[in-house]
Amino acid sequence: MKKRLGPAERIYPMPVPIVVSGSMGEPRGFTSSWINAVASTPPTLVVGIRKSRASLEMILSTGEFTVNIPSPELVEEVDYFGTVSATKADKFALTGLTLMAGATVSAPIIAECRFALECKVTQTVEVGEYVVVFAQILETWADDEILDDDGNVDITALDPLVYIPGAREYHRLGGKVADAYSVGKRISERA
Amino acid sequence: MKKRLGPAERIYPMPVPIVVSGSMGEPRGFTSSWINAVASTPPTLVVGIRKSRASLEMILSTGEFTVNIPSPELVEEVDYFGTVSATKADKFALTGLTLMAGATVSAPIIAECRFALECKVTQTVEVGEYVVVFAQILETWADDEILDDDGNVDITALDPLVYIPGAREYHRLGGKVADAYSVGKRISERA
């Protein structure tokens, strides 16, 4: 039996990267679970940012940011970056996270994150108290240790943290269920 | 040591719901991993849809769709809905998925999915070969069996399927790492 729960912004699951803007000397960072790819021509992502976020002004003035995918050992840092404002604390100094220069943007990437993306803002759309920022993905980075022999990301080695809205929980990724573009053929073959 | 992999639309992890449009009599469905919430005033999500997708025309002409969160036992159906065009097959007939009327939109929801959202299109943005559809979330539905005593979604009972781009794998959600809005206080307390 299905029950109506009312309108709520719930997609299960969500990613939970740390978005970094600014520069090596003046970095800003916040955690976002409202982010995803939306197009591949060119590779584009969107991120919904509350207008009151200190990072938003930096992202819009520089037109650049990075997206840093954390693993479970960074869960305290992820939560801290999501709940404390950059106007109230030097978040990078307090966490001790290490910043590295990117290749195509001035915004730094977080060395402790095993996968990161460099992004350039292409347009913005206002939705109530939020700005949805569209950005082209200019570069991606992965740690040597998470690449397999073919140079592809080994998801078990990346071990991305997962966010569950509503319950407000961070989870690990679980085991593989099936290969995409493959397991559905069992249904096609019935036709 | 970090290595540059080039631009690619990779966020880890992604959700992988089935998006349904049309009506009980003429349903369309496709699987999307490029979807997420972006705002809460009002509750809003975006979904990036390739212009060649048969569902896009239906979504834009009716202005409505539903988002249906699948669990691992639906992995064959999820993959099939993501890889076969509605112009080539009656996907609902072949999978045998059960459609139910929604409450606020004409687009049906999938009974076998334990959580679903009803959405109304609010605006669209073109990005190359894609259309990014913005939609207001008008209602959410959950199976009785996945609600805890307080009426909240029990994520272990929902057991949402997770998508890994690049590797093109479906995974389960893993165990809880920590509570959000809580574990980061260990860092705030250092200040």
Side-chain angles (χ1 to χ4, degrees):
Chain A
M1 177 75 175
K2 289 205 182 328
K3 195 171 168 182
R4 291 172 68 171
L5 302 185
E9 56 286 354
R10 301 275 183 274
I11 296 282
Y12 301 99
M14 291 180 181
V16 66
I18 300 175
V19 175
V20 178
S21 56
S23 59
M24 294 288 287
E26 191 190 354
R28 294 267 172 87
F30 75 104
T31 301
S32 173
S33 53
W34 289 358
I35 186 169
N36 204 348
V38 289
S40 64
T41 54
T44 300
L45 60 75
V46 298
V47 51
I49 308 176
R50 188 177 271 274
K51 288 178 183 171
S52 58
R53 271 277 179 201
S55 285
L56 180 61
E57 188 184 347
M58 183 67 89
I59 288 172
L60 297 182
S61 67
T62 61
E64 298 175 348
F65 60 91
T66 67
V67 178
N68 302 270
I69 307 290
S71 303
E73 69 270 19
L74 295 177
V75 69
E76 287 183 17
E77 289 82 355
V78 165
D79 197 50
Y80 174 75
F81 269 87
T83 52
V84 173
S85 170
T87 57
K88 294 191 181 148
D90 182 344
K91 298 202 267 188
F92 287 97
L94 198 59
T95 54
L97 287 176
T98 313
L99 294 172
M100 289 177 45
T104 65
V105 298
S106 298
I109 61 179
I110 297 176
E112 288 83 355
C113 290
R114 297 173 197 148
F115 191 89
L117 305 95
E118 299 182 9
C119 304
K120 182 183 73 173
V121 175
T122 53
Q123 61 182 304
T124 59
V125 174
E126 281 195 41
V127 180
E129 292 305 306
Y130 292 78
V131 174
V132 180
V133 176
F134 284 64
Q136 184 175 344
I137 300 160
L138 299 179
E139 185 58 276
T140 61
W141 291 86
D143 282 5
D144 266 345
E145 293 71 24
I146 70 163
L147 295 175
D148 65 20
D149 293 343
D150 298 324
N152 298 316
V153 171
D154 175 336
I155 191 65
T156 307
L158 173 56
D159 197 14
L161 199 63
V162 184
Y163 186 62
I164 303 301
R168 295 184 161 194
E169 293 177 355
Y170 302 106
H171 280 246
R172 281 181 184 278
L173 185 67
K176 178 174 160 180
V177 175
D179 286 309
Y181 300 85
S182 171
V183 69
K185 289 179 185 158
R186 293 177 200 162
I187 295 175
S188 307
E189 285 159 6
R190 286 182 212 157
Chain B
M1 176 75 175
K2 288 205 182 331
K3 196 172 169 181
R4 291 171 69 170
L5 303 184
E9 56 287 356
R10 301 276 183 273
I11 296 282
Y12 300 100
M14 291 181 181
V16 66
I18 300 175
V19 176
V20 178
S21 56
S23 59
M24 293 289 286
E26 191 190 354
R28 293 267 172 86
F30 75 104
T31 301
S32 174
S33 53
W34 289 358
I35 187 167
N36 204 348
V38 289
S40 64
T41 55
T44 300
L45 59 78
V46 298
V47 50
I49 308 177
R50 188 178 270 274
K51 289 178 183 171
S52 58
R53 272 278 179 201
S55 285
L56 180 60
E57 189 185 346
M58 182 68 89
I59 288 173
L60 297 182
S61 66
T62 61
E64 297 176 349
F65 59 92
T66 67
V67 177
N68 301 270
I69 307 290
S71 303
E73 69 270 18
L74 295 177
V75 69
E76 288 184 15
E77 288 81 357
V78 166
D79 196 51
Y80 174 75
F81 269 88
T83 53
V84 173
S85 171
T87 58
K88 294 191 179 147
D90 182 344
K91 299 201 268 189
F92 287 97
L94 198 58
T95 54
L97 287 176
T98 314
L99 294 173
M100 290 176 46
T104 66
V105 298
S106 298
I109 62 177
I110 297 176
E112 288 84 355
C113 290
R114 297 174 197 147
F115 191 88
L117 305 96
E118 299 182 10
C119 303
K120 181 183 75 173
V121 175
T122 53
Q123 61 182 307
T124 60
V125 174
E126 282 196 39
V127 180
E129 293 305 308
Y130 292 78
V131 174
V132 179
V133 176
F134 284 65
Q136 185 175 343
I137 300 160
L138 299 180
E139 186 58 277
T140 62
W141 291 85
D143 282 4
D144 265 346
E145 293 72 21
I146 70 163
L147 295 175
D148 65 20
D149 293 344
D150 297 324
N152 298 317
V153 171
D154 175 337
I155 191 64
T156 306
L158 173 56
D159 196 14
L161 200 62
V162 183
Y163 186 62
I164 303 300
R168 295 183 159 195
E169 293 176 356
Y170 303 107
H171 280 245
R172 281 183 184 277
L173 185 67
K176 178 174 160 180
V177 175
D179 286 310
Y181 300 86
S182 170
V183 70
K185 288 178 186 159
R186 293 178 200 161
I187 294 176
S188 308
E189 286 160 6
R190 285 182 213 157

